[in-house]
Amino acid sequence: MLKESKFTEGFKKAVTKHSTKSLLASIISIIVGLIIGFIFMLVASILKPGSSALGGIGILLTGPFNGLNPKYEIGNLIFYMVPIIFTGLSIAIAYKTGLFNIGAPGQFLMGTMGSLLVALSIDTTGNRFLGILVWILAIIVGMLLGMFWGSLVGMLKALFGLNEVIASIMLNWIAANIITWVFKDSPLHNIGEGKDGYLIKTSLTGNFSPTLGLGKLFSSGNISSYIDIGIVIAIVFCVLTWIFMNKTTLGYEMKACGLNKESAKYAGINEKKNIILCMAFSGALAAIGGALYHLNAGIEFKWQSAYQTLPPWGFNGIPVAFLANCNPLGIILSSMFIRYLSTSGAFLPMVGFNQYFADIIIAIIIYLAGFTRYFIGRIDKRIRDMELARLLEKEKNGLKSDPPNDNVIVMEEEGKK
Amino acid sequence: MEDKYVIEMRNITKEFPGIKANDNITLKLRKGEIHALLGENGAGKSTLMSILFGLYQPDEGEILINGEKVLINDPNDATKYGIGMVHQHFKLVECFTVLDNIILGSEDSKLGFVTRKKSREKINKLMDDYSLHVDLDKRIDEISVGMQQRTEILKMLYRDSEILIFDEPTAVLTPQEIEGLIHIIKNLAKEGKSILFISHKLNEIMSVSDVCTVLRKGKYINTVKTSETNTDELAKMMVGRDVSFTVDKEKAKPKNIVLRLDNVSVVDKNTKKSVVNNVSFSVKSGEIVAVAGIDGNGQTPLINAITGLGPVSSGTITLLGNDITNGTIKERIMYGLSHIPEDRHKHGLILDYSIAENFVIERYLEDRFSWHRHRLIHFENRKNYSDYLIDNYDVRSGQGSNTTARSMSGGNQQKAIVARELDKDHSILVACQPTRGLDVGAIEDIHKKIINDRDNGAAVLLFSLELDEVLNLADRIYVIYDGEFVAHFINNGLKPEDLGLYMTGSKKMKKENIVC
Ligand SMILES: Nc1ncnc2c1ncn2[C@@H]1O[C@H](COP(=O)(O)OP(=O)(O)OP(=O)(O)O)[C@@H](O)[C@H]1O
Ligand SMILES: [Mg+2]
């Protein structure tokens, strides 16, 4: 008895703590999302004989371990985390400053363009040291372009009062067209392999991301996975962003603007400066994501259709950020989770579903994450109700000392009638 | 006397992290009774009322309505039981009309569309019955605070509430509006509604309520019949010591001019009307200058012009000899502006920041609170400073420096702002309703601190709707009417009557007599 009340007490305390609450809400949205996904697959399996909903859920849960070589799958999973970690960070810091940065795809593209222009135009084949220098330069150029692109949104908002969402959407498509135009007549097309719509790979000019031996570690036979230094850089940036938001005066200032614009103004904080700065940082982060993704030795950029489709990596930052409640450290986990599900998508055809089911489930989970607060409210209420019911029960037992309390309730109900 | 109660709250206990907000409190309300709730800031009044309204669940204790035990899980349950509440900080949707705000949540609809006709008729009838008139088609952000409050009251009546809770309804009202409200409340009680009324103003409690329950630090102290007590006794019961309602101060010794306004006018952007008209005056170091007037006569635009929150259309403002007419707020702070804002939630606090974070909102870049060339926050110094302010200004909360501002009681939020602005190095203190929502003990304390501030050489410019406060504190008084300064007094024992005619605009001094 005593033990139990101690447990509920502890549980209650844990639930009231904010960070525990958001973690709990994220976990609930994930579980509910999986259940709804399961129902979807059940319906689909009725329509399409030969598919199995249970098998589908099994595959989703086991993710990369469905592959013939899980190590290889995990290597790729980690590599694909890199771009969404960066766009997730980009969206998270903007959100904390009270801005919704839907411009991450455009900033991502600017980072891609800047870095590829540098990395593909300079040939350092054979000199790995020079190659690394050019690689660093490529990231920096990409980052600066993204920074500029982001700060444009900030300036439009701060100086002309244009809503950042509208500005971002416009700039996304402008970026997409610019990048197509820049690479359209460039000599960097991958003609050697007969793929005119693509650019050559960074491995061809020697300015590719170091793999730190990770690719070999996570390989399948002779084939290395894509994993490279990017993930290390990404995690470092998560930590740096966390420090920036929580430990620096500038982070404090930006959050103040996001939480209450009016009182920030009252305190003499320059909101316009903060909007522009924040969007510049945001743009830089998304751009580094674009750069690191495309500087990988094995990734090729399809310039041909770039003007028609915005890179999914940009928008996928939104769920990554919100599933982590915009906490930079949480983003490491949320990006991993989302890639885990996406990876499993590739294996869904084994049980008769197409891979897009994974995307559907991710989408559901993201929607649910949006209801985080609602869920937290439910949890609170649930616990309170339980407590109260217990108290009432106890009292009833106390008042009418006849032990079988079922009878008491029945009697009371009859009395009411 | 019959012993039937519409509401009985028995042995209510409610604990928040670090504090027992309610500790075994019992409160009984009769039908048709006006029951006042009195207690220091943070005594647990709002918490107790929130429990009755279903916003919080008590840890212990029970609630009976008409003798039957009930569970009030959320405000919907409360509404079902006929309980309505006007909160300390209003909960209205700013961009909706009054009508929509009133019906929000219990609107009639047809095929998914809101039908307002029937609601409008019902509200019109209510407005006539209780003489509570508001323009239903105005948006909330277009009407005065008094009107917003009427909206809140109508909202309760619209839901057929029988038990009405008013949490500090008069804190934000003008004396005229307060009179109106008291009249309304008495009417409501006569119609058989039962009323719970929170206020820090003892004379209000004396004039409106039948009984008064006193809380202190979360504990129940006593319930007394108002007719059998007096303000001194109430004050003593609530604070636990004698409270003096007047302040002793020495004669002011004004020195150099700190703030100076020359022919300042402000034209409203929307109406193109001049809301501040050719105002000239100055405030010297070592004196307290008050601007008295009825609310809405240009005080807010004048405050905004001085503090930088709003524009100046013509004229000049200088602070310590520096022209700040169009200067940024940062500049003004640099020249020593301290500002206790009128609206503590809009400007004064970042509610989701902790109290320590709020204490340094203007100062986070000072050497003391940052290091590594002002890039990193100095957490330890910030915490120590915050602890020091909490001690010195008696800011009460559950978790000290780590408490989020949002969870503090209204009065303690106010104390925190006053503490921050008084303790900051400053040449001038612009204090707007500095004691709004404070209990009598805290008011006494803050008044002493403001006078002390004057004696330490600060210039103090006080804007207050409380005539008592103005007459108690000010060394000189300007009266503002319709955007103009219409009178100037040296305060040596002025009485409210002396200002009255000027405040209502029936009298005006000659321009040359209004010295600056
Ligand atoms: N949601 C909450 N979370 C944590 N602490 C709270 C919360 N609400 C109130 N408290 C604490 O409970 C105590 C009582 O607060 P309450 O708002 O009831 O005071 P009050 O009597 O209404 O004071 P005031 O006159 O200043 O409005 C305060 O110390 C406050 O900090
Ligand atoms: Mg209160």
Side-chain angles (χ1 to χ4, degrees), chain B residues 16 19 21 41-47 56 88 168 200 407 409-411:
Chain B
F16 287 119
I19 196 164
N41 297 125
K45 306 177 295 293
S46 298
T47 305
Y56 296 133
Q88 190 166 2
E168 285 190 46
H200 288 296
S407 79
S409 83

Side-chain angles (χ1 to χ4, degrees), chain B residues 288-331:
Chain B
I288 300 177
V289 173
V291 176
I294 297 170
D295 197 21
N297 273 292
Q299 290 95 326
T300 305
L302 179 59
I303 293 166
N304 289 349
I306 295 170
T307 58
L309 285 172
V312 179
S313 306
S314 62
T316 51
I317 304 178
T318 55
L319 184 53
L320 288 179
N322 307 288
D323 185 344
I324 53 154
T325 316
N326 297 307
T328 59
I329 295 180
K330 204 175 195 108
E331 265 173 66

